[in-house]
Structures are given as C-alpha cells and as structure tokens.
Amino acid sequence: MQGEQHFLRSIYVLFKKELMSYFNSPIAYIYLAVFLVLGNWLFVKPFFLNGELSMRAYFTLLPWILLFMAPAITMRSWSEEKKSGTIEFLLTLPLSSWQLVLAKFAGALSFLLIGLLLSLTLPFSLNRLGDLDLGPVIGGYLGALCLGSAYLAIGLLASVMTKNQIIALITSLAICFVLFIIGQQFILVTVPVVIAKFFGFISLGARFDNITRGLVDSRDLIYYLSFSYFCLWLNVKLLEARKWQ
Amino acid sequence: MIEIKGVTKKFGEITAVKGISFAVKKGEVLGFLGPNGAGKTTTMKLITGFWQADQGQVLIDGLDNVTHSKESRAKIGYLPETVPLYDEMKVYEYLRFIASIRDITPEMILPRIKEVVEICNLHSVIGKSLDELSKGYRQRVGLAQAIMHNPDILILDEPTTGLDPNQIAEIRELIKKIGKEKTVIFSTHILAEAQATCDRVVIINKGQIVAEGRPEELAQALKSQELVTLKLRAKGSEVTTALATLADLKNIKIVSEEAGLTTVTMESSARDEGVALGELLVKRAWPVCELVRGGVSLEEVFRELTK
C-alpha cells in the first residue's frame, strides 16, 4: 500500500510539472485557441445550411483536427528533455521508467482533455437551439478521448526516439495518419478482403466512427486502451534501452 | 562507499572505459582528472546508473547499482555536465519540484529549500526565471538540485567548466564545504582545481586509469623530476661539464647558445632545494641571467601521462 502510494505520488509530482510546462509557455494557449477556433468555425460555417441539429459533422471533423493537435502536444515531451539534458536528471532519479512515461502521458492527455472540455460550449449552445440528442454527443467525446489517447501514445513514442521536435512531430503525424486512414471505406474497397479485414481491425478510424454513431462497444474501447498501452510499453522499453544517444 | 570493479563500457566500436577499478571512501573528495574524451563522463554516468556497464560492477554502499538500482540512485546527488534545468521555470518553482520529486515531506519542503538556498547562495535569484540566469548561477542551482535530498554521495561532472575565476573559486569553496560531510566525486581537466579541493586524485586517459594518489603525493612524485632552466653568460661546454658533477641533475641539455649567452635545461631531483647548484654558480662566478625552477608542474606530468 505504502509502495503504491509512493508510486502514484511521484507520478503526480511529475505530472504537475508536465502540465505546468505546457502552460508556462505561450504555445499552450495558441494550441488551444487554434483547436477551438478551427473546430468551431469549420463546424458552424455550414451548420445552418444543413438545417440539422446534431454534432455529427463535428465528430467527422475532429479526428483530422486531433491528427495535428496530438502530435503537436507530444512533440516536445521527450525531445526537449533530451535536448536540454534534463533527461539525465529524470533517468537518474530513483523512479521507474513506467512512472516517467505515465506522468508524461497523463500530462499530455490532460492537456487534450482541457481542449475538449473547452469545446463543450458547442453542444451547450446547440442544446439551447432545440433538443440535441445527447447520446451521440457523449459517444463522440468518449471516442475523441480514446482516439486522442492513441494518437498521444504514438506521439510520445516518436518523441522518445529523437531530440528534434520537428522530426518527432512529422513522424508521429505520419504514423497517426496511416493508422487512421487504413480504416476508411475508400481504402478498404481497394484492397483484398483479408487485408481489408486486418486493416479494419487495426485502424484507429473505423472504431472511432462506431463510437460516435453511439455504438459504444467495449471491444472498441479495449482496443484503444490496449493500443495506447502497447505504445507506452514500447516507450518504456526504448527509454530503458538508452539507444537514442 | 563507492566501488568500481573492472568496469567496461563500449559504444559500438569505441570502448569508452576499459576495465577500470577504483574505490572512494566515505567522506572523501575524489578528483577525477583527464583530458576531454578520456572517459570521465562515461564513468560518472555508470556510477549514477544512467548507463549500465557492459562488464564489471559498480557498488554503492555495497549494493550493486544495477540490481539495486532504486536504492543506489536514491543515495546519489548528480550534477551532469549540462546542468539539468527546466528553463521555463522560476528558481523557486524548480527547487520546489526537485524537493517534491525527491520525496521530501510537504512540511519539510520550505525549510529544506531555505537551507539549500543558504548553502548555494541563491537568495538574489530565487524569483528569477531559470533562463535569465548567468552560467555561474545556473551551475549553483544545479548544485542545489544535487544536494536537495541530502544524499551521501555527490557526483559532479565538470562543475567549474565555463565559469569565470571568481565563480570557479566560489564553486570550489562550495565543494569543499559540502565535501566535509559527504562523499564527492568531481571531474575536471584543471589540475590546480583537483589539487586545491581533493583528498585524492584519479587520472584517467583513453578509458584507463594512469595515476592515482593524494595530490601531494602526485606533486611530490613530479617534483622529483622538476625541470630547471638556467640562462647564463658562459661557454656551453664548460657549463655542462660543471653541472654534470652534481649528482642530482640529469638530462642536461643546451637549448641555445648565442652571443655568449647559454641556456641549459636539466631535470633536478635535488632535495636541498637547489643549494648545491647555487654554490656551484657562485664558485664559478658565472653571471646568471635567469634561473627558473619548477618548469614541470602537475600540468606537465598530466600531459606526459595522458599523451
């Protein structure tokens, strides 16, 4: 019990530092502003033309916005620590690599969560216009959190491999993009059935669509959870191997 | 306290450290000397557990630092060559973060920060952002970071590099002060520094230990081959013959001979502080222009050893 408490306490201290480091620089505010303005604008612009009171259009848009947002959040996570030499301090603390990785992940996820919470103004405003069906909205946000955590886990992994933030950004963007796109219909119809099945299974996108449609299947949630876990596990292994000099 | 046993570390084809062994006793200040690229930093990273040795073992208080990684890391305070500062933080924020991550209980955090600020003399910069600090202050904040959890062992990697002479003196004083209670290993490539601060010196070159001992002992060993340069108005051949009669002088060489002025160098192992040489010069009544002793300093031997 004491050990567990200690395990979590150290994570909490590091997590606070992570979150503080986001908000100590103006970049955090720029990210949030861009995320909110872009999302809301692209959604609201055609909203009144459609004449439909739902957020479906927003949740088709969100994966693409997250695709850029998540790698931008994580790109400096490890790269900056390596560049400034603070990684040497972190890795010689009497902590386990899991504690370090979980703290980083929790910091990034909380930042994303703040962005998503701020975007809640959208469903609240829509709800005033009429009766908004809340099921798909809750599903949509749950899906965004799942997809976001998978993106962030990939982003952390890319960041641990290089001390260059830009390389981390582009690598994670590319991986996220590929893993998202292979589940889209126009890809699935062009490849053989076996591969299509496989793509459909590993794709981050298809499952997101399910969840936003309001079909919250535990298998999809478990998939996102295990995908994120796998990336974080790789992250721990890479950190311990110290192969990134 | 710290035992390094036959430690080897390779990076691909390059062997950074080749089977080195040495021990540091409790409460000792050990100077780790060597030219750049000799393996000082690698050795320190092996002690702190940042890297693992390919062969050999590092024992911290008798515990292997790989199998008992957390326990041994908790005993060490480490100041890497690049001071690990989060530039976007303020000094007090940084110190508070260090204190909490080092498991200092919440009610002890403030008193401990005050102590550390006192020791490292950080009063005037406590509210400043870390990226505004001068190199000297950055180094001191780094040191404050290393001593925060009151570790038994301090590993300091080139703590005085890039500082001005006043700052160097301050950091040295600080190391001396801290070294009274703790085991300290610090690396440097400045010999005078090692001489001024350390109880013992280990000289490393190309990944191997080439000399080890107390600074005075090393200096004594060096003094036995002190270089003496003599410039005088006399014939070269006469001078060398006369000098050769003195038993304490070896390797007498004529460096130059022009316009009646002769310059000779010799290695002296004289224990009488050169009295015999003085007597000889007076007896022959040669006008002496220059007599320089101690041309061989620690620097020379260091260079000799690490060629």
Side-chain angles (χ1 to χ4, degrees):
Chain A
M1 192 59 209
Q2 189 105 73
E4 252 167 60
Q5 231 176 36
H6 180 247
F7 183 85
L8 291 175
R9 212 184 80 85
S10 305
I11 293 182
Y12 176 66
V13 173
L14 283 171
F15 158 78
K16 264 206 316 204
K17 179 225 117 196
E18 279 305 308
L19 212 55
M20 194 163 95
S21 81
Y22 282 120
F23 286 100
N24 265 342
S25 90
I27 301 171
Y29 303 97
I30 297 173
Y31 282 173
L32 288 175
V34 169
F35 170 68
L36 293 173
V37 169
L38 198 71
N40 288 16
W41 168 248
L42 289 176
F43 171 65
V44 171
K45 209 176 82 155
F47 177 73
F48 293 101
L49 297 175
N50 292 345
E52 183 195 14
L53 188 67
S54 94
M55 282 188 67
R56 235 177 55 207
Y58 185 72
F59 292 117
T60 7
L61 207 62
L62 205 52
W64 298 101
I65 299 177
L66 289 182
L67 187 62
F68 289 90
M69 171 100 170
I73 293 174
T74 51
M75 66 179 186
R76 61 194 296 276
S77 291
W78 293 114
S79 310
E80 187 65 24
E81 303 266 10
K82 284 197 248 171
K83 208 170 165 195
S84 67
T86 44
I87 189 90
E88 246 181 273
F89 158 75
L90 283 182
L91 292 178
T92 50
L93 283 173
L95 302 176
S96 73
S97 306
W98 265 112
Q99 283 173 302
L100 303 176
V101 170
L102 284 176
K104 287 266 176 212
F105 182 67
L109 196 62
S110 304
F111 186 81
L112 182 75
L113 199 63
I114 291 170
L116 289 174
L117 284 176
L118 289 173
S119 78
L120 284 179
T121 48
L122 214 50
F124 279 116
S125 317
L126 293 190
N127 203 28
R128 296 201 61 129
L129 292 177
D131 235 355
L132 182 68
D133 186 2
L134 285 180
V137 175
I138 295 169
Y141 275 104
L142 185 66
L145 205 58
C146 286
L147 183 66
S149 85
Y151 279 171
L152 291 173
I154 294 171
L156 280 182
L157 199 54
S159 182
V160 83
M161 289 190 276
T162 171
K163 58 168 95 167
N164 185 324
Q165 294 184 23
I166 303 302
I167 293 177
L169 174 74
I170 294 175
T171 315
S172 54
L173 212 153
I175 299 173
C176 292
F177 178 72
V178 169
L179 282 175
F180 182 77
I181 201 87
I182 53 172
Q184 300 293 302
Q185 277 307 319
F186 67 92
I187 300 271
L188 292 179
V189 295
T190 54
V191 295
V193 183
V194 189
I195 297 177
K197 264 194 175 156
F198 175 67
F199 277 5
F201 178 74
I202 63 162
S203 157
L204 293 170
R207 293 171 191 276
F208 176 77
D209 294 340
N210 287 345
I211 298 176
T212 52
R213 257 186 268 132
L215 300 169
V216 182
D217 187 335
S218 57
R219 276 176 301 181
D220 293 333
L221 297 184
I222 289 169
Y223 171 79
Y224 281 118
L225 263 178
S226 26
F227 184 90
S228 306
Y229 176 82
F230 175 69
C231 288
L232 296 182
W233 176 81
L234 264 183
N235 202 320
V236 167
K237 291 296 151 199
L238 283 174
L239 212 53
E240 281 171 356
R242 311 264 203 280
K243 290 283 186 217
W244 31 257
Q245 271 309 297
Chain B
M1 193 91 215
I2 305 173
E3 270 180 276
I4 286 120
K5 288 182 177 171
V7 163
T8 297
K9 178 74 185 169
K10 286 180 188 160
F11 296 103
E13 295 287 289
I14 303 153
T15 310
V17 173
K18 275 178 241 166
I20 63 167
S21 302
F22 63 91
V24 192
K25 289 194 284 285
K26 196 177 165 75
E28 199 174 33
V29 179
L30 181 89
F32 207 43
L33 274 160
N36 292 328
K40 299 189 297 278
T41 298
T42 307
T43 309
M44 299 194 128
K45 285 183 179 178
L46 289 170
I47 298 172
T48 57
F50 182 73
W51 281 332
Q52 283 183 17
D54 296 324
Q55 277 161 36
Q57 214 184 9
V58 177
L59 299 179
I60 308 288
D61 258 350
L63 295 175
D64 186 304
N65 81 339
V66 177
T67 55
H68 295 78
S69 176
K70 274 192 199 174
E71 292 102 307
S72 51
R73 277 186 277 168
K75 287 181 183 161
I76 297 176
Y78 176 37
L79 176 62
E81 203 172 351
T82 32
V83 186
L85 303 181
Y86 292 101
D87 280 343
E88 71 275 2
M89 288 188 190
K90 296 208 181 340
V91 174
Y92 68 87
E93 283 175 338
Y94 178 75
L95 293 178
R96 203 169 48 202
F97 163 64
I98 300 293
S100 356
I101 199 66
R102 285 296 189 174
D103 263 345
I104 293 171
T105 51
E107 65 276 12
M108 282 309 292
I109 286 182
L110 204 62
R112 182 58 189 158
I113 289 180
K114 276 186 183 156
E115 272 173 39
V116 168
V117 164
E118 185 65 41
I119 296 169
C120 299
N121 209 352
L122 292 170
H123 303 281
S124 54
V125 296
I126 191 81
K128 279 195 182 173
S129 181
L130 284 168
D131 58 0
E132 291 171 24
L133 298 188
S134 67
K135 198 140 197 256
Y137 271 114
R138 287 178 73 85
Q139 206 68 255
R140 278 197 246 170
V141 175
L143 209 54
Q145 170 272 124
I147 62 172
M148 182 62 84
H149 55 301
N150 205 3
D152 296 336
I153 299 167
L154 266 180
I155 312 278
L156 312 172
D157 198 352
E158 305 209 352
T160 58
T161 308
L163 302 182
D164 70 35
N166 292 335
Q167 294 168 331
I168 290 181
E170 279 174 28
I171 295 279
R172 276 187 206 162
E173 278 310 306
L174 211 53
I175 293 174
K176 267 192 187 167
K177 195 157 87 182
I178 297 166
K180 280 183 189 150
E181 297 153 27
K182 300 188 187 308
T183 308
V184 181
I185 301 186
F186 82 93
S187 70
T188 174
H189 49 247
I190 307 161
L191 285 137
E193 187 159 287
Q195 221 169 356
T197 3
C198 300
D199 302 324
R200 213 151 55 85
V201 174
V202 168
I203 301 180
I204 181 173
N205 187 40
K206 291 178 187 155
Q208 282 168 317
I209 291 174
V210 287
E212 193 181 343
R214 297 191 350 192
E216 308 92 83
E217 286 169 6
L218 284 181
Q220 203 57 51
L222 304 176
K223 225 174 183 179
S224 67
Q225 30 179 307
E226 187 177 50
L227 190 79
V228 176
T229 310
L230 176 64
K231 191 173 176 184
L232 73 180
R233 193 171 292 279
K235 248 189 162 175
S237 52
E238 278 178 33
V239 176
T240 45
T241 356
L243 290 176
T245 60
L246 294 177
D248 291 333
L249 301 179
K250 276 184 300 186
N251 262 343
I252 302 158
K253 276 183 215 144
I254 300 177
V255 180
S256 68
E257 194 175 359
E258 48 188 67
L261 279 176
T262 304
T263 308
V264 284
T265 60
M266 64 212 100
E267 279 172 21
S268 160
S269 52
R271 277 164 216 279
D272 60 357
E273 300 292 326
V275 172
L277 177 62
E279 280 173 351
L280 175 87
L281 292 174
V282 171
K283 207 167 87 190
R284 304 296 289 253
W286 282 325
V288 176
C289 308
E290 214 178 285
L291 176 59
V292 183
R293 264 186 56 197
V296 174
S297 58
L298 263 168
E299 312 277 335
E300 291 280 332
V301 167
F302 176 69
R303 274 167 59 192
E304 194 62 41
L305 284 169
T306 58
K307 243 180 214 166

